[in-house]
Amino acid sequence: MSHALNVVKVGGSLVADRDRLGRLLGALVDGCDGPVVVVPGGGGLADAVRTAQGALGFPDPLAHRLALDAMAGMARIFAALEPRLSVTEAPADALAAGAVPVWDPSALKAGRPEIPETWDVTSDSLALWLATRLGAATCLLVKSADPRPGAGPAELARAGLADAAFPVFAARFPGRIVLRGPGGDRLCREAVAECAA
């Protein structure tokens, strides 16, 4: 592969703007950001899990696994909107075969010691986890809102633009972390000391 790999997390909140979502997915498949693995947010499907947990009180590990199912569902929705995407649990294999993968994280339901099974970990941190495993150069988070210029991972978590575990996963990822909101790309990688704060 001649270009550096990018893991691109597409927020489930973008489903509120189908035109932007469709353009984005098409541009990713067309290679505008180079070789990519798309990580879907859980969107309204994950929100339904939160609502059900609030009403029924089932434990966080079950909610976490159901939220992974929500991401898997959004992966299939993304592929329905952009049929050139390939839904897969093994994105490295799909890349090697020349496909543009959208990640189905269902394999994580078996549990990983480094991934807490709580709402502190959402698709943002999971995108960083996958980017670290794949050796990606950049983890790009596409959001429906713009961060403050220069905001680092800890500030993004405090502002609710990323999950609570995001600074911990950011500290483990050696590449660039970029947020893309409606206003464009903003680098959010700051000093590792800040990431771990």
Side-chain angles (χ1 to χ4, degrees):
M1 201 177 308
S2 59
H3 298 286
L5 176 65
N6 299 300
V7 168
V8 182
K9 185 264 179 167
V10 178
S13 61
L14 267 68
V15 299
D17 187 347
R18 181 180 174 151
D19 289 340
R20 181 179 179 215
L21 178 60
R23 285 193 308 271
L24 171 66
L25 295 176
L28 292 173
V29 172
D30 288 339
C32 290
D33 284 291
V36 297
V37 173
V38 178
V39 174
L45 302 178
D47 292 341
V49 174
R50 285 183 189 265
T51 300
Q53 185 186 27
L56 301 172
F58 51 83
D60 277 350
L62 174 57
H64 176 80
R65 292 189 293 276
L66 293 172
L68 292 171
D69 287 335
M71 289 175 63
M74 287 303 297
R76 283 156 180 78
I77 291 169
F78 286 3
L81 296 173
E82 175 46 80
R84 295 176 293 168
L85 287 169
S86 175
V87 178
T88 180
E89 293 182 27
D93 294 346
L95 285 166
V100 179
V102 56
W103 184 44
D104 174 346
S106 295
L108 297 183
K109 291 194 294 183
R112 292 274 184 163
E114 72 275 22
I115 301 176
E117 293 185 330
T118 72
W119 286 110
D120 286 350
V121 175
T122 68
S123 53
D124 292 330
S125 286
L126 293 178
L128 282 171
W129 177 85
L130 183 65
T132 303
R133 284 184 59 86
L134 294 176
T138 301
C139 185
L140 170 64
L141 308 177
V142 183
K143 298 283 192 174
S144 56
D146 287 314
R148 182 188 67 76
E155 183 176 338
L156 294 172
R158 284 191 297 270
L161 286 172
D163 59 55
F166 189 74
V168 173
F169 284 84
R172 298 174 187 158
F173 176 60
R176 290 183 340 130
I177 301 171
V178 177
L179 259 71
R180 177 178 296 163
D185 288 357
R186 295 194 180 160
L187 184 68
C188 71
R189 161 65 77 198
E190 292 186 355
V192 171
E194 192 279 340
C195 294

